[in-house]
Amino acid sequence: KQEVTQIPAALSVPEGENLVLNCSFTDSAIYNLQWFRQDPGKGLTSLLLIQSSQREQTSGRLNASLDKSSGRSTLYIAASQPGDSATYLCAVDSNYQLIWGAGTKLIIKP
Amino acid sequence: GAVVSQHPSRVICKSGTSVKIECRSLDFQATTMFWYRQFPKQSLMLMATSNEGSKATYEQGVEKDKFLINHASLTLSTLTVTSAHPEDSSFYICSASGGPSTDTQYFGPGTRLTVL
């Protein structure tokens, strides 16, 4: 049974720092892995999608990597800004289901 | 706690018919429900946000007359795909917030729609 874990559950850093969010999964047989951000009271915003055949994807200050063999993905945020404050979720597309991590709540202090 | 169910889990229908998908929060009152869809090899994308007792707010590019959303109670929201076409074939997922951690979204298992 696929399980997805996100560490840390919460993170607070000063503005301008680079940071890494982690997502791990137990079954490497995945179709893709997705990263989302969730703002309070809002629907999810898709950030990056990494297909199982890919190793990383980049969008602006965001870079997501995927290592299927070790069951890990990281979301790297460069030069963090207060507007990056949100909860970040990863989800694994596995066996025609989306399995969700519990999220990392990120606070960027001005 | 904080379980969200969807029904049906899979549905196959003919082109031109309408399909209703139900999303239920089983053990909490969901003040807000969200509907998403995921096309093959693409990201999950938000379709609409639904608050109990009020009209849904649709994302840009989502036809509100085609995707009818009803959130008549605090535990049930429905998405009706009207006059379905093959291009509507997708994976539809709902989520609900208002549970133990009010900001957290709790996701349903999804409904796979295939339109022939």
Side-chain angles (χ1 to χ4, degrees), chain A residues 32 34 36 38-49 51 89 93 95-98 100 102 105, chain B residues 10 32 34 36 38 40-46 49 91 93 95 97 102-105 107-109 112:
Chain A
N32 62 56
Q34 304 178 51
F36 301 88
Q38 180 192 346
D39 295 283
K42 305 283 188 178
L44 300 184
T45 300
S46 176
L47 297 174
L48 290 164
L49 166 69
Q51 302 289 358
L89 293 166
D93 193 338
N95 196 24
Y96 298 106
Q97 293 183 67
L98 274 182
W100 296 88
K105 185 170 184 176
Chain B
R10 298 173 188 268
T32 306
F34 303 89
Y36 301 86
Q38 181 178 6
K41 297 188 177 181
Q42 295 186 30
S43 296
L44 189 72
M45 299 300 290
L46 178 66
T49 302
F91 189 50
I93 296 179
S95 70
S97 63
T102 53
D103 276 344
T104 301
Q105 290 185 35
F107 290 89
R112 190 163 297 280

Side-chain angles (χ1 to χ4, degrees), chain B residues 17-66:
Chain B
T17 60
S18 294
V19 175
K20 180 184 285 188
I21 302 170
E22 292 186 349
C23 177
R24 292 182 185 271
S25 57
L26 299 185
D27 49 6
F28 67 98
Q29 293 187 328
T31 50
T32 306
M33 285 186 169
F34 303 89
W35 286 96
Y36 301 86
R37 64 182 170 187
Q38 181 178 6
F39 293 109
K41 297 188 177 181
Q42 295 186 30
S43 296
L44 189 72
M45 299 300 290
L46 178 66
M47 298 176 66
T49 302
S50 165
N51 292 297
E52 186 265 340
S54 60
K55 290 183 178 180
T57 302
Y58 290 80
E59 295 299 301
Q60 191 172 10
V62 178
E63 300 174 59
K64 61 181 181 180
D65 294 331
K66 181 169 182 62

Side-chain angles (χ1 to χ4, degrees), chain A residues 14-87:
Chain A
E15 179 180 6
E17 283 199 4
N18 304 323
L19 57 100
V20 174
L21 307 181
N22 297 292
C23 174
S24 61
F25 46 97
T26 55
D27 185 347
S28 61
I30 66 171
Y31 296 106
N32 62 56
L33 185 144
Q34 304 178 51
W35 282 95
F36 301 88
R37 71 174 278 167
Q38 180 192 346
D39 295 283
K42 305 283 188 178
L44 300 184
T45 300
S46 176
L47 297 174
L48 290 164
L49 166 69
I50 311 178
Q51 302 289 358
S52 63
S53 58
Q54 298 173 325
R55 302 237 355 139
E56 67 176 343
Q57 284 287 323
T58 298
S59 175
R61 294 183 293 109
L62 305 179
N63 176 278
S65 69
L66 175 63
D67 184 343
K68 280 202 316 177
S69 62
S70 65
R72 293 178 58 188
S73 176
T74 60
L75 178 67
Y76 174 82
I77 302 177
S80 59
Q81 303 171 358
D84 295 330
S85 298
T87 296

